[in-house]
């Protein structure tokens, strides 16, 4: 299984690579359009060294190559997310995760309706 991704906005400069230290802003959704985690609510991005395992594997894989200022939508299969364990009372076991990610942007988030529209268009492009 692999992460399916769609660039929402291209950034500038070199894309991020394994070993890079960076700040990532994201909102994580379940397929039921439920937000399960977001850096926006904490007021600061996630700081990580890409490939160090601080975030779920699918998130780290999905932002590879993303440029500063870029935004990307990721669909992460369960095996690259929280798998059969899930997170009790937050993420059910075997859940597909969806992330709207950005690097080097101010803390902004998209509305749930805009997100649903983007997700629907994205899924249709995969199916056809």
């Amino acid at each position: 299984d692999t992460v399916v991704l769609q660039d929402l906005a291209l950034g500038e400069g070199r894309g991020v690579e394994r070993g890079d230290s960076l700040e990532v802003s994201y909102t994580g959704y379940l397929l039921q359009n439920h937000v399960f985690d977001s850096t926006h609510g904490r007021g600061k991005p996630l700081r990580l060294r890409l490939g160090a395992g601080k975030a779920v594997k699918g998130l780290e894989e999905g932002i590879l190559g993303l440029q500063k200022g870029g935004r990307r939508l990721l669909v992460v299969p369960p095996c690259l997310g929280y798998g059969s364990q899930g997170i009790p009372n937050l993420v059910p076991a075997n859940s597909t995760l969806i992330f709207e990610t950005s690097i080097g942007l101010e803390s902004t988030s998209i509305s749930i309706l805009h997100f649903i529209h983007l997700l629907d268009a994205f899924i249709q492009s995969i199916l056809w």
Side-chain angles (χ1 to χ4, degrees), residues 19-95:
D20 286 350
S21 293
L22 59 131
E23 293 183 341
V24 178
S25 296
Y26 68 87
T27 299
Y29 301 88
L30 298 173
L31 284 178
Q32 301 83 3
N33 299 316
H34 169 76
V35 175
F36 70 88
D37 190 21
S38 179
T39 59
H40 305 293
R42 292 189 289 273
K44 63 180 182 175
L46 172 67
R47 293 174 188 240
L48 61 92
R49 197 172 121 253
L50 202 52
K54 184 172 180 181
V56 295
K57 188 172 184 173
L59 178 63
E60 289 196 7
E61 286 184 14
I63 60 176
L64 281 171
L66 188 59
Q67 299 165 300
K68 185 175 181 179
R71 288 179 47 228
R72 187 174 281 169
L73 186 65
L74 312 174
V75 179
V76 178
C79 64
L80 297 176
Y82 296 106
S84 61
Q85 300 298 311
I87 299 176
N89 302 316
L90 188 61
V91 177
N94 299 311
S95 290

Side-chain angles (χ1 to χ4, degrees), residues 94-122:
N94 299 311
S95 290
T96 296
L97 309 175
I98 300 143
F99 290 97
E100 185 264 330
T101 62
S102 62
I103 296 176
L105 292 177
E106 293 298 314
S107 184
T108 59
S109 64
I110 58 177
S111 73
I112 216 51
L113 289 176
H114 183 64
F115 171 76
I116 292 168
H117 174 73
L118 286 170
L119 181 60
D120 182 56
F122 183 52

